[in-house]
Amino acid sequence: FAFLTEDEVNRLLDLRKADGEDILAGAVVSGAKAVVVQLLDLGANPNHARYDGWRAIHIAAQRGYHRILEVLVSGGARVADAYTNTNKRALDYAREGGYSKAVVLLKKAEKAEKMEKGDKVVKQKKNMVPW
């Protein structure tokens, strides 16, 4: 994508299908890890959700693409609070599919997110004025 202008990159990242699926999700569907990496490097939103709540992380989990899941998580994809409209998380889809590597990765990512969130709450409480 190095040959594209900044404006062209922005238009590319803003493309949506009728269901709201973006180009990043399309790359995940295709299993194109290198394209996923490039799109994230260009500024694609790893937390963009379609109308039904599905995100790129749900697609990767459902298909067992653990290497793409690694890229999405390291690129900022939320795991613990990313639910579809049917109240499913990426971890649920990985479990249903029997994708053990994806399950392990997503469990670790959820734990890290929860710990990070907990650390922020603890720090806020410590900084509170007692009166």
Side-chain angles (χ1 to χ4, degrees):
F1 298 109
F3 55 89
L4 297 174
T5 67
E6 185 177 345
D7 185 52
E8 290 169 328
V9 167
N10 290 333
R11 283 188 282 161
L12 182 67
L13 295 177
D14 287 340
L15 288 175
R16 305 281 186 270
K17 288 174 47 179
D19 65 0
E21 185 175 282
D22 66 353
I23 192 167
L24 180 63
V28 172
V29 167
S30 300
K33 180 185 167 204
V35 176
V36 171
V37 169
Q38 287 184 325
L39 290 169
L40 289 171
D41 287 347
L42 288 170
N45 178 0
N47 296 301
H48 170 75
R50 300 186 320 202
Y51 74 93
D52 57 2
W54 277 68
R55 301 176 187 196
I57 199 155
H58 295 108
I59 297 166
Q62 184 192 45
R63 292 169 182 251
Y65 295 161
H66 67 278
R67 296 200 192 292
I68 292 178
L69 283 168
E70 290 172 346
V71 171
L72 291 169
V73 169
S74 67
R78 300 291 300 165
V79 178
D81 59 359
Y83 288 86
T84 65
N85 290 358
T86 57
N87 209 30
K88 286 192 171 185
R89 298 169 301 150
L91 181 57
D92 300 321
Y93 290 109
R95 281 186 180 138
E96 288 173 8
Y99 302 118
S100 58
K101 289 181 180 180
V103 169
V104 169
L105 184 143
L106 290 166
K107 281 183 177 180
K108 285 181 183 176
E110 277 194 3
K111 185 176 180 179
E113 282 179 20
K114 288 177 181 177
M115 287 178 63
E116 180 182 311
K117 195 174 193 179
D119 286 348
K120 288 180 183 174
V121 171
V122 169
K123 286 178 185 175
Q124 287 173 353
K125 286 182 181 177
K126 284 182 181 176
N127 293 332
M128 290 180 67
V129 179
W131 60 87

